[in-house]
Amino acid sequence: MTQRLHYSNDVNTTLNFLIEGGNYNAVIVLVDTNTRRLVLPQLSCLDNASVIEIPCGDENKTLTSLTHVWQELQQCGATRHSLLINLGGGMVTDLGGLAAATFKRGIPFINVPTTLLAAVDAAVGGKTGINYGGLKNEIGVYAPARHVIVSTCFFSSLPLQEVKSGFAEMLKHAMLSSQEDFARLLNFSFDSIDQDKLLELLRSSVKVKERFVNDDPTEQGLRKALNLGHTVGHAFESMAIERHQPVPHGYAVAWGLVVETVLSHMLLEFPSSQLYSLASFVKDNYGAYHFTCDNYPHLLDLMRHDKKSLAGEINCTLLKACGKPVVDNNISSDNLTAALDIYRDLMGM
Amino acid sequence: MTQRLHYSNDVNTTLNFLIEGGNYNAVIVLVDTNTRRLVLPQLSCLDNASVIEIPCGDENKTLTSLTHVWQELQQCGATRHSLLINLGGGMVTDLGGLAAATFKRGIPFINVPTTLLAAVDAAVGGKTGINYGGLKNEIGVYAPARHVIVSTCFFSSLPLQEVKSGFAEMLKHAMLSSQEDFARLLNFSFDSIDQDKLLELLRSSVKVKERFVNDDPTEQGLRKALNLGHTVGHAFESMAIERHQPVPHGYAVAWGLVVETVLSHMLLEFPSSQLYSLASFVKDNYGAYHFTCDNYPHLLDLMRHDKKSLAGEINCTLLKACGKPVVDNNISSDNLTAALDIYRDLMGM
């Protein structure tokens, strides 16, 4: 990882400093419809940058958007000495990172995540990707941004749903870190959000991710711990897309966390009291994702197609306790079925 | 570079050994129309492999072919524990390498180059790519194959033109290596080719490439020496595609080598006697690429769009002498125009 993280709520100054220091022959900024309108005007250091715009939303994290970015980079005359700045949520940083990593076999890029979800997850750690063939992040590479600017100053314009979505990844990091971190987050209130306090929570949350990523940048072993909640969460997310009722990624992760914590309790004796605390926090703040037993076979099938899975098996990270992850658990269909039953009970379905 | 090279004319045994040792959950082989017919039947170790076929020819090194490979990999249920074998020329190894490197953020692949050009160049060194927007290898990544099997046993079915095309890259390596290597290659005769002798020449040629690649895997500095002949060569190749009369890559490199050696003589005092030897060898074996002064502005424009170039400049590797490359020369339009004039003289145009 050659990626450098900068925590700052004065993004314009920080970004300007990084641009000046980089000696680039061109600066290009990638935005989506929302960040062009709401965020780009706040960054005067980008007044002279070329702008590439893509439509917002995960449903546009596609090959079509990617080829649009490639074409525009060509149009701008971008070279390996040009800089791409990805200004947006995880969709923009994932897709823009992939565009930069593959254009002329790689040009430098800086991520400026504008959502909590992107700041705590997508923009940090070098994973890039697009959805393909109905599967999330099916096409992508590991390619670290040169810099990532982590801030909370753009979150005030976000819907609460977006903040909650990012918070689910922070919950995951806390569970991977310690019981104390986990308890601290369960006490967080979404009613009146203190941006500076949130930046501090975010800083320690990102540090958890950094620790796992630095130990294992291409996900051969320990980094898989970061997939906690995601094998099941991705299946929920994929099913929601198929139903044409997409759900925010973090919501899917929150629900996935509950199911995988149920599995952790069943298989590794994760304490039941903490499982109940998690389930109740998730239910109160995220509601429940609804499905019936009839959906089980398809959900299991989606999990088997997860990148983390070997052919035909379902692979999850589980927890013995907070701070004690165990990677590469192969989950039987029976156990997963039981866990989905318990999830539906806990969520009052 | 974690890429391992194996020199062998018993490809079936070598490949079988590498497959057995890899513990893959699936083996998929990428072929083009030609290698499916001529080469695949010779490799019994692939009898049970899934086969993905793409149409042959550099004009099919496109996003369309790439998406076809992605779709087929999905169809085969390929995971990160599956193996892709790229069996073909540079088009197959470049495109297949990119497909493998981007599918689920990277699955392992083995290159089995079946042309001299691919063996000496494309399949070795970790560059992958497709052509895009009219530019060669515009989209790609650096991703080493897990293994490369270098052999000459498939060359006997190749047209002589194909062998000559690869030989041009060997010429380049020899010029980067020493005057002795260069002289040895100029004595090579295409009239009766000894496959074992060629494997030995190939081995020392690949070693030259390996040395530069290992010193600088992502082409920040010294590896650029390997671009000798390619800034001008790529421009010839691109123009030939635009004219709907594509030329073999190696032929374009041979002509590019002549122009860049002219520049080396003009700017760095490369010995004129060796320039004349090169020009006469190239003229005798490759003919000449024809164009007029009217084409100069467009050729220069194509060179300015080369990946190696900064915005608006033309960047070439040149030679003080054989074995003494100088990277990152910015060439003025005047000098390049003069060199193109001299090239046309030398080639008797």
Side-chain angles (χ1 to χ4, degrees):
Chain A
M1 291 287 299
T2 49
Q3 183 167 271
R4 287 195 51 205
L5 295 179
H6 308 263
Y7 296 85
S8 162
N9 272 334
D10 182 359
V11 175
N12 193 55
T13 304
T14 306
L15 186 56
N16 191 51
F17 176 79
L18 297 176
I19 293 172
E20 297 286 320
N23 196 24
Y24 302 106
N25 66 8
V27 176
I28 302 130
V29 58
L30 177 67
V31 290
D32 66 20
T33 334
N34 287 335
T35 54
R36 176 168 216 160
R37 190 168 50 88
L38 297 170
V39 181
L40 189 57
Q42 300 178 45
L43 300 174
S44 61
C45 68
L46 297 178
D47 281 354
N48 296 317
S50 304
V51 179
I52 304 178
E53 182 180 324
I54 50 177
C56 58
D58 198 72
E59 67 277 19
N60 289 305
K61 201 169 124 180
T62 58
L63 186 57
T64 306
S65 301
L66 179 64
T67 54
H68 173 70
V69 178
W70 285 336
Q71 282 161 9
E72 294 286 308
L73 286 171
Q74 272 189 334
Q75 210 74 42
C76 297
T79 75
R80 288 181 184 169
H81 303 274
S82 307
L83 173 69
L84 181 68
I85 296 167
N86 298 317
L87 181 66
M91 180 270 193
V92 169
T93 59
D94 277 7
L95 189 145
L98 179 57
T102 50
F103 188 72
K104 295 180 189 285
R105 298 203 189 94
I107 67 171
F109 64 101
I110 292 178
N111 283 341
V112 184
T114 58
T115 66
L116 179 54
L117 184 58
V120 76
D121 187 33
V124 177
K127 283 191 186 180
T128 70
I130 55 169
N131 305 330
Y132 189 79
L135 295 173
K136 302 266 308 162
N137 299 316
E138 180 77 340
I139 302 300
V141 294
Y142 292 94
R146 190 167 281 191
H147 303 277
V148 182
I149 303 179
V150 178
S151 66
T152 56
C153 61
F154 304 122
F155 300 170
S156 47
S157 63
L158 292 178
L160 185 58
Q161 201 191 45
E162 278 286 336
V163 178
K164 285 184 179 174
S165 187
F167 198 83
E169 294 284 350
M170 293 175 65
L171 268 181
K172 179 194 77 176
H173 289 164
M175 293 182 82
L176 290 171
S177 172
S178 69
Q179 202 184 323
E180 294 66 38
D181 280 4
F182 180 53
R184 194 152 58 120
L185 287 203
L186 290 187
N187 280 324
F188 187 83
S189 159
F190 292 104
D191 293 339
S192 66
I193 295 172
D194 177 333
Q195 300 292 357
D196 287 335
K197 191 179 162 197
L198 187 57
L199 188 58
E200 275 321 296
L201 288 174
L202 188 50
R203 186 195 289 262
S204 47
S205 190
V206 171
K207 277 201 198 311
V208 176
K209 171 150 189 181
E210 265 192 300
R211 208 176 62 218
F212 284 102
V213 171
N214 286 337
D215 288 350
D216 177 21
T218 59
E219 207 165 8
Q220 302 304 304
L222 204 59
R223 180 173 178 164
K224 293 181 190 167
L226 292 169
N227 291 321
L228 183 68
H230 281 67
T231 301
V232 177
H234 278 157
F236 288 159
E237 206 175 356
S238 295
M239 193 162 80
I241 292 169
E242 290 168 2
R243 289 171 162 180
H244 303 288
Q245 296 178 314
V247 296
H249 174 70
Y251 281 56
V253 169
W255 300 320
L257 271 179
V258 175
V259 177
E260 296 189 14
T261 307
V262 170
L263 286 166
S264 299
H265 173 64
M266 287 166 54
L267 302 173
L268 300 178
E269 301 181 353
F270 183 91
S272 60
S273 61
Q274 290 171 41
L275 165 60
Y276 295 138
S277 305
L278 173 72
S280 120
F281 183 87
V282 169
K283 189 182 165 197
D284 290 349
N285 290 290
Y286 298 86
Y289 187 64
H290 284 264
F291 53 89
T292 70
C293 329
D294 293 345
N295 302 121
Y296 287 11
H298 185 54
L299 279 170
L300 267 66
D301 225 45
L302 288 168
M303 293 173 206
R304 286 190 197 98
H305 274 91
D306 193 273
K307 277 191 291 301
K308 298 172 281 299
S309 299
L310 289 163
E313 289 176 342
I314 297 172
N315 183 296
C316 286
T317 294
L318 299 180
L319 294 171
K320 278 195 225 178
C322 284
K324 296 195 172 157
V326 179
V327 301
D328 276 334
N329 301 276
N330 286 320
I331 312 294
S332 70
S333 304
D334 286 352
N335 281 331
L336 201 59
T337 300
L340 290 174
D341 280 340
I342 296 172
Y343 161 88
R344 290 168 65 219
D345 266 358
L346 288 169
M347 302 313 247
M349 287 161 69
Chain B
M1 292 287 299
T2 49
Q3 184 168 270
R4 288 195 51 206
L5 295 179
H6 308 263
Y7 295 87
S8 162
N9 272 335
D10 181 0
V11 175
N12 192 55
T13 303
T14 307
L15 186 56
N16 192 50
F17 175 79
L18 296 176
I19 292 172
E20 296 287 320
N23 196 24
Y24 303 106
N25 66 7
V27 176
I28 302 130
V29 57
L30 177 67
V31 290
D32 67 18
T33 334
N34 287 335
T35 55
R36 176 169 214 159
R37 190 168 49 89
L38 296 170
V39 182
L40 189 57
Q42 300 179 46
L43 299 174
S44 62
C45 69
L46 297 179
D47 281 353
N48 297 315
S50 305
V51 179
I52 304 177
E53 182 180 324
I54 49 177
C56 60
D58 198 71
E59 66 276 21
N60 289 306
K61 201 170 123 179
T62 57
L63 186 56
T64 305
S65 301
L66 179 64
T67 54
H68 173 69
V69 178
W70 285 336
Q71 281 161 9
E72 294 285 309
L73 286 172
Q74 271 189 335
Q75 210 74 43
C76 298
T79 74
R80 289 180 182 169
H81 303 274
S82 308
L83 172 70
L84 182 68
I85 296 168
N86 298 315
L87 181 67
M91 181 270 192
V92 169
T93 59
D94 277 8
L95 188 145
L98 179 56
T102 50
F103 187 72
K104 296 181 190 283
R105 297 202 189 94
I107 67 172
F109 64 101
I110 292 180
N111 284 340
V112 184
T114 58
T115 66
L116 179 54
L117 184 58
V120 76
D121 188 32
V124 177
K127 284 191 184 181
T128 71
I130 54 169
N131 305 328
Y132 190 79
L135 294 173
K136 302 263 309 158
N137 299 317
E138 180 76 342
I139 302 301
V141 294
Y142 292 95
R146 190 167 282 189
H147 302 278
V148 182
I149 303 179
V150 178
S151 66
T152 56
C153 60
F154 304 123
F155 300 170
S156 48
S157 62
L158 291 177
L160 185 58
Q161 200 190 48
E162 276 288 335
V163 178
K164 285 184 178 174
S165 187
F167 197 84
E169 293 285 350
M170 292 174 66
L171 268 180
K172 179 194 78 177
H173 289 164
M175 294 182 81
L176 290 171
S177 172
S178 69
Q179 202 183 322
E180 293 68 36
D181 281 3
F182 180 52
R184 195 152 58 120
L185 287 203
L186 290 187
N187 281 325
F188 187 82
S189 160
F190 291 104
D191 292 338
S192 65
I193 295 173
D194 177 332
Q195 299 294 359
D196 287 335
K197 191 179 162 195
L198 187 57
L199 188 59
E200 273 322 296
L201 288 174
L202 187 50
R203 186 196 287 265
S204 49
S205 190
V206 172
K207 279 203 194 312
V208 176
K209 171 148 188 182
E210 265 194 299
R211 208 176 63 217
F212 283 102
V213 171
N214 286 337
D215 288 350
D216 177 21
T218 58
E219 207 166 9
Q220 301 305 302
L222 204 59
R223 178 172 179 164
K224 292 182 191 167
L226 291 169
N227 292 321
L228 182 69
H230 280 67
T231 301
V232 176
H234 277 158
F236 289 159
E237 205 174 357
S238 295
M239 194 162 80
I241 291 170
E242 291 168 2
R243 289 170 162 182
H244 302 288
Q245 296 178 313
V247 296
H249 174 70
Y251 281 56
V253 169
W255 301 320
L257 271 179
V258 175
V259 177
E260 296 188 14
T261 307
V262 170
L263 285 166
S264 298
H265 174 64
M266 288 166 54
L267 303 173
L268 300 178
E269 301 182 353
F270 182 92
S272 60
S273 60
Q274 290 171 39
L275 165 60
Y276 295 137
S277 306
L278 173 71
S280 122
F281 183 87
V282 169
K283 189 182 166 197
D284 290 349
N285 290 291
Y286 298 86
Y289 187 64
H290 284 263
F291 53 88
T292 70
C293 328
D294 293 345
N295 302 121
Y296 287 13
H298 184 55
L299 280 169
L300 268 65
D301 226 46
L302 288 168
M303 293 173 206
R304 285 190 197 98
H305 274 92
D306 193 273
K307 276 191 290 300
K308 298 173 280 299
S309 301
L310 288 164
E313 290 176 341
I314 296 173
N315 184 296
C316 286
T317 294
L318 299 180
L319 294 171
K320 280 194 223 177
C322 283
K324 295 194 173 160
V326 179
V327 301
D328 275 335
N329 301 276
N330 286 319
I331 312 295
S332 70
S333 304
D334 286 353
N335 281 331
L336 201 59
T337 299
L340 290 173
D341 280 339
I342 296 171
Y343 161 89
R344 290 168 66 220
D345 266 358
L346 288 168
M347 302 313 250
M349 288 162 67

